[in-house]
Amino acid sequence: LNGIRVPGALAVRTLVAKYLGIILVVASGMPAGREGPMVHIGAGVASTLLHLHSSVLSWPGCQGSNVAQARRLDEDVHKRDFVSMGAAAGVAAAFNAPIGGVIFALEEVSTHWSGTLTTRAFFAAIVAAGTNNLLVSARHDGVIEPDALVVFGEYDLGSAFTMLELPIFVFIGVCGGLLGALFNALNGRINRWRQHTHSPRGAMFALARGSRARSKVL
């Protein structure tokens, strides 16, 4: 955690104790929140998954497989990334804030950071926050809560959005993303064309090319 090795901090028994402790504390109404333990639980789950992954690849049936051994991860190097992603997911699930989870992992958890880790941590945070909201919405007969991750504004429509409508919203989002990508591609092409034809260097290049074409005709 941020370059400090704490023995047993991410062990399975610590994770179980933290999990049971947060349930009892929240259920008893004690003046203690669930946000801090959620970060620890997220980091512990990620570390446990990495350990299980390495344990499975150590089985005798996987020892002779080159494909299986190629998937082996370094528990010292990759553990830092897994803990960062788990912490980001824990913050996202606790505060319903995926971007906040990534920023927290960047500032407080990680020793080294990279662009690839940003993408992975953000994806883990989105999955954690989305799963949390899906579980909360499923508890209320599939009706999306007003303070859920998917917020469509406050409108008096006479009925709430349901879980069955989410595929339609996902389709609309995908269409919007594709149209946005098309706009960016066209915008890039137009800017390159303008730079090539309207800049002084581009104008001189076009003039020289036109002069060569006229000389060939003559």
Side-chain angles (χ1 to χ4, degrees):
L1 296 175
N2 200 14
I4 301 175
R5 185 183 296 275
V6 182
L10 302 175
V12 176
R13 61 178 181 272
T14 305
L15 180 62
V16 173
K18 183 75 69 171
Y19 180 76
L20 296 177
I22 188 176
I23 292 177
L24 296 176
V25 168
V26 174
S28 63
M30 296 179 64
R34 59 183 175 85
E35 291 78 9
M38 285 292 293
V39 179
H40 193 178
I41 290 174
V45 169
S47 177
T48 303
L49 289 177
L50 176 61
H51 181 70
L52 291 176
H53 178 271
S54 300
S55 299
V56 171
L57 293 182
S58 299
W59 290 354
C62 299
Q63 290 290 341
S65 175
N66 295 328
V67 177
Q69 295 305 312
R71 295 179 180 271
R72 182 183 293 273
L73 300 177
D74 190 339
E75 289 203 37
D76 188 34
V77 176
H78 292 89
K79 189 174 185 178
R80 303 188 188 99
D81 294 347
F82 270 71
V83 169
S84 299
M85 291 184 285
V91 173
F95 293 97
N96 196 20
I99 298 179
V102 176
I103 295 176
F104 177 84
L106 170 63
E107 293 180 347
E108 303 294 338
V109 180
S110 300
T111 306
H112 304 283
W113 196 265
S114 63
T116 303
L117 182 57
T118 302
T119 305
R120 294 174 178 175
F122 186 59
F123 180 77
I126 290 177
V127 171
T131 303
N132 179 63
N133 282 276
L134 288 177
L135 294 176
V136 172
S137 298
R139 188 182 62 183
H140 294 85
D141 298 328
V143 177
I144 299 178
E145 293 298 300
D147 56 348
L149 179 65
V150 184
V151 180
F152 301 99
E154 297 182 1
Y155 303 100
D156 188 11
L157 302 178
S159 61
F161 295 102
T162 62
M163 301 294 294
L164 297 178
E165 295 174 291
L166 282 183
I168 301 176
F169 300 145
V170 171
F171 176 75
I172 295 174
V174 170
C175 292
L178 293 176
L179 290 176
L182 177 62
F183 172 80
N184 290 334
L186 293 176
N187 188 38
R189 287 180 176 273
I190 292 174
N191 286 332
R192 286 192 294 271
W193 174 78
R194 287 174 55 86
Q195 185 178 9
H196 182 73
T197 57
H198 290 75
S199 63
R201 183 177 180 181
M204 292 177 61
F205 178 78
L207 181 61
R209 186 172 55 183
S211 300
R212 287 197 299 269
R214 284 194 298 270
S215 63
K216 290 182 181 180
V217 173
L218 296 176

